[in-house]
Amino acid sequence: MNNIVNSFISLYHKFTAKKPERFYTIDGFNMDLGEGHMLSLLQKSHPMYDRFVPFLGVLSERYKNVGKKKYLIDIGANVGDTTAALIRHTSADVICVEPTKKFYDLCKKNIQGFGEKYASRVTLIQGYISSQEHESFSSIVINGTAVKQSTNGPAEAPTFTIPSLCNKIKISLADVVLVKSDTDGYDSDCIQSFGESLKHISPLLFWENEVDSIEQLDKYLNMVDYLLKCGYDDFFVFDNFGNYLCHVGSDGFKEVNYYLGRILRGNSTRSFYYVDVLASKKENVHICKKTIADYLEVFNNNYHKLKDDQ
């Protein structure tokens, strides 16, 4: 069971008597989030929570690729909330990957609700992403999120690496401009499923960096070494509430993970629960900086407006 997710959810049950909204509007799309999905309460309590997601679409538009098509891969698509938030802001096609049947069905329903203009640009795959392509997985659903676990029984969905997924749906890896991963602690494995191919392409990478065990900490530290070998040495870090923290190199990002590890061990008061990370190769650092500046300007303007209204 995911301790950080449970702690995060318990905090909001403690401080609010309200239930999360099942039906919620995301960037003009009316979404069925299912029972217990915390997005509505989190965004009400934390104005920046998940608000960088539309800017992932903006980033993909600024990315210069040599192919004729652009693709975004949304790993751990859940009910389609990430895709709903970004698809109006990009001309790229979106590949949604969600293994858990409950969320897959809701995701399919929500995508159909986008209307033909947007739904036609989304491909939904039921599957897991892992470097261990021949391993079987199932999921435990906890309050609007799913936690992956290995299983000796029937797999809930097939497992793919990112290259094998692209091969299945017949798209070129070189045309993938951005990969977003949110799999509650398994994101290092998802990213590393690129294998050696990541040395030869330059997609932007955005993932939820959640340290829920010492084993996970070690996996993220190993992932940093893997990314560095593949040419990634620029990491843009956000706290889990959506506020931007810093731009660091690989050594600095390891220090962020050590920081989370000390909190995990109980050596420090918890400041935040995890970080979201945008990683880039050098040729795309400038568009990351520009897009983050645009994102922060939205909230700077909101701040000044609040001051003017006082």
Side-chain angles (χ1 to χ4, degrees):
M1 185 173 289
N2 190 310
N3 294 328
I4 288 182
V5 170
N6 286 339
S7 297
F8 201 21
I9 290 169
S10 296
L11 180 67
Y12 288 97
H13 284 312
K14 179 179 179 180
F15 288 106
T16 178
K18 294 183 179 180
K19 292 183 178 180
E21 297 176 33
R22 173 167 182 167
F23 298 98
Y24 191 59
T25 301
I26 300 176
D27 206 15
F29 297 114
N30 296 318
M31 305 286 290
D32 181 354
L33 303 183
E35 295 293 340
H37 200 295
M38 297 297 292
L39 183 62
S40 62
L41 291 182
L42 290 170
Q43 289 195 328
K44 184 173 183 178
S45 299
H46 308 287
M48 299 180 82
Y49 183 84
D50 257 10
R51 299 299 187 183
F52 187 66
V53 173
F55 290 86
L56 296 178
V58 174
L59 262 175
S60 71
E61 289 300 288
R62 291 172 172 169
Y63 185 104
K64 304 297 182 184
N65 69 319
V66 295
K68 294 181 180 180
K69 287 288 293 183
K70 291 181 179 180
Y71 295 93
L72 313 183
I73 300 180
D74 179 4
I75 302 172
N78 196 262
V79 299
D81 47 302
T82 293
T83 296
L86 65 78
I87 197 165
R88 293 187 193 272
H89 306 278
T90 180
S91 59
D93 286 0
V94 182
I95 313 302
C96 288
V97 186
E98 174 53 50
T100 308
K101 188 176 188 308
K102 174 182 177 180
F103 298 136
Y104 175 88
D105 290 343
L106 282 170
C107 191
K108 183 177 181 180
K109 171 186 174 182
N110 287 326
I111 290 168
Q112 291 171 345
F114 291 174
E116 178 64 20
K117 177 181 178 181
Y118 297 105
S120 62
R121 290 171 38 214
V122 182
T123 299
L124 176 59
I125 301 291
Q126 187 174 10
Y128 293 96
I129 301 295
S130 174
S131 60
Q132 307 300 315
E133 189 171 9
H134 301 294
E135 188 169 352
S136 295
F137 299 101
S138 62
S139 300
I140 300 174
V141 177
I142 306 170
N143 291 309
T145 190
V147 179
K148 183 172 76 172
Q149 60 180 5
S150 296
T151 179
N152 293 323
E156 185 162 358
T159 302
F160 305 97
T161 63
I162 293 175
S164 69
L165 172 73
C166 291
N167 183 60
K168 174 182 171 61
I169 58 179
K170 296 180 170 53
I171 67 172
S172 170
L173 265 179
D175 292 334
V176 176
V177 300
L178 188 145
V179 173
K180 163 262 167 184
S181 179
D182 182 354
T183 59
D184 295 301
Y186 288 88
D187 301 282
S188 60
D189 185 43
C190 292
I191 297 298
Q192 290 184 87
S193 79
F194 269 110
E196 290 293 306
S197 63
L198 194 56
K199 294 179 178 179
H200 311 294
I201 55 176
S202 303
L204 297 159
L205 307 173
F206 186 79
W207 71 90
E208 181 182 279
N209 197 102
E210 181 178 310
V211 176
D212 195 24
S213 68
I214 299 303
E215 180 184 12
Q216 285 180 354
L217 173 61
D218 290 339
K219 287 181 178 179
Y220 281 117
L221 294 172
N222 290 334
M223 183 187 71
V224 176
D225 292 334
Y226 163 76
L227 289 175
L228 185 60
K229 289 177 182 177
C230 293
Y232 290 82
D233 194 24
D234 286 271
F235 300 86
F236 300 86
V237 184
F238 303 74
D239 69 22
N240 65 270
F241 302 109
N243 198 3
Y244 177 64
L245 283 170
C246 58
H247 170 203
V248 293
S250 56
D251 288 343
F253 184 52
K254 282 188 176 181
E255 293 300 333
V256 171
N257 277 286
Y258 286 129
Y259 175 92
L260 292 171
R262 289 190 291 275
I263 292 174
L264 174 68
R265 290 183 174 95
N267 295 329
S268 172
T269 302
R270 182 172 294 283
S271 50
F272 43 79
Y273 291 82
Y274 55 85
V275 292
D276 290 324
V277 186
L278 172 67
S280 169
K281 292 188 179 181
K282 287 297 181 187
E283 62 262 34
N284 289 311
V285 166
H286 65 293
I287 64 171
C288 294
K289 288 182 176 180
K290 177 174 174 53
T291 304
I292 290 170
D294 291 345
Y295 169 65
L296 296 177
E297 187 61 27
V298 170
F299 290 93
N300 290 340
N301 287 340
N302 284 351
Y303 170 74
H304 292 305
K305 183 177 186 303
L306 286 172
K307 287 191 69 176
D308 292 340
D309 290 343
Q310 288 176 351

